[in-house]
Amino acid sequence: MLTREQIAMRAAKEIQDGFYVNLGIGIPTLVANYIPSDMRVVLQSENGLLGIGPYPSEDELDPDMINAGKETITMIPGASLFDSAESFAMIRGGHIDLAILGAMEVSQNGDLANWMIPGKMVKGMGGAMDLVHGAKRIVVIMEHVNKYGEPKILKTCSLPLTGKGVVNRIITDRAVIDVTPEGLTLVEVVEGYTVEDIIACTEAELSVSPTLTQLRGE
Amino acid sequence: MKVQSSIQQALEGITDGMTIMVGGFGLVGIPEHLILGLYEKGVKDLTVISNNCGVDDWGLGILLQNRQIKKMISSYVGENKEFERQFLSGELEVELVPQGTLAERVRAGGAGIPAFYTPAGVGTVIAENKETRTFNGKEYVLETGLRADFALVKAFRGDTYGNLIYNKTARNFNPIMATAGAITIAEVEELVEVGSLDPDSVHTPSVYVQRIIQRDHYEKRIEKRTVKK
């Protein structure tokens, strides 16, 4: 089983040189730590920044400089700042190459639920509903099963949706699964699991890629 | 003259039941003195349009604690326990709006656009009971522009005409909200004479700002202090 860091490391491989990328809150934020330093990648923060840099030193700490998770950050050279309408114009307008988001549930046709548990929690969707329709590619990272061991990759989501048919790839602690027009395809299995193990802990129908590979936690 | 000498003078005319836009993202770029002024003024039954609702003891959270807010229109309110309590108990009316839709509704409202189509929320509860339409094979939902009786914004620097310049990610919703208030009140850290701002660098042109006030001593609370290890 991959750790949170290993999931983030695997997700970082989705990023290509030259990409503009939006990373969601939580494990997706960790992905930034694993982008190779020789790649020119610009991270977007939907509160109005292109070019998120590392966390600041105590001396650099600036209360006016935060990411969408409200963490204090810095900017990289070449960064730009803008208002919230401009920020979502670049998201909705298809200018962001990739968004990596967390999920509570994903369905076999790529529906995503990650914002609300009825009666339990009210937080709001933030920018997730805009991102899933705007970014050119949506990669979701999540644990394969919930804390009761039940599948989170389902035939149909039980929770209120964030977006319908929006997910392109699912990376979990046990597998990598692609959403295709024909349904879900298992493309990588984490070391220590068999294809049968993955099928057993996935409610949705899974086909197995002819080029299936094993994924080793680094 | 747009320049105000006290916060209460700046807030003149705000009454119970009004709709107020408040700039900021989290606690960054919030008009902290104007919010404190609303708290002291005690106006209630407000409909507040703001991306977030502060934290329990700062920002818009203090208006919630004081039961001054009837309805919130926001995209994310996860940092506020009192909000969740009032919402789940039915005391507080909440309209959750996708963040990009919220931003565009405010932008559209300020720009005289009554409604627009967006893909965000299609196939979800957000699109229920709303008109949808297909363009080039993709479905979109119709969302309406938003305006407010008052917009409260925070800028880094402003001049006595009301031109505004924001600082870093404290810009966020402030410039668009400045355009969508029937009366827009700006609070600034630095107020300068007309002519000292570079016209090319102005973010909010003065036409959108009816009142401006300079305040010292910004708390600028940090929600999540993250530093290099």
Side-chain angles (χ1 to χ4, degrees), chain A residues 25 46-49 54-58 60-73 75 81-85 88-89 92 115-116 119-130 133-134 160-164, chain B residues 25-26 28-29 52 74-79 83-84 87-88 96-101 103-104 107 118-126 138 154 167-173 175-176 189 220-228:
Chain A
I25 295 164
E46 60 262 31
N47 54 320
L49 167 66
Y55 291 137
S57 64
E58 291 286 346
E60 293 168 327
L61 192 75
D62 180 344
D64 282 344
M65 200 63 245
I66 60 163
N67 63 17
K70 286 134 191 159
E71 298 173 324
T72 47
I73 50 159
M75 293 183 275
L81 293 152
F82 34 84
D83 67 50
S84 300
F88 283 94
R92 255 188 264 98
W115 76 282
M116 188 191 180
K120 268 195 184 165
M121 156 190 103
V122 51
K123 281 182 186 290
M125 67 295 282
M129 286 193 181
D130 309 274
H133 287 284
L161 295 184
T162 306
K164 228 176 156 57
Chain B
F25 184 98
V28 174
N52 312 94
S74 300
S75 89
Y76 191 82
V77 292
E79 322 298 342
F83 188 106
E84 186 164 346
F87 173 67
L88 291 177
L96 287 170
V97 181
Q99 196 175 133
T101 298
E104 191 62 15
R107 194 201 69 79
T118 177
V122 167
T124 78
V125 293
I126 298 305
K138 188 172 168 172
K154 153 79 191 352
N167 185 45
K168 305 195 182 83
T169 58
R171 190 182 320 185
N172 55 64
F173 280 83
I176 47 175
E189 293 175 55
K220 296 196 182 181
R221 275 200 209 174
I222 292 175
E223 260 178 270
K224 291 179 191 157
R225 184 192 175 87
T226 42
V227 291
K228 254 182 227 163

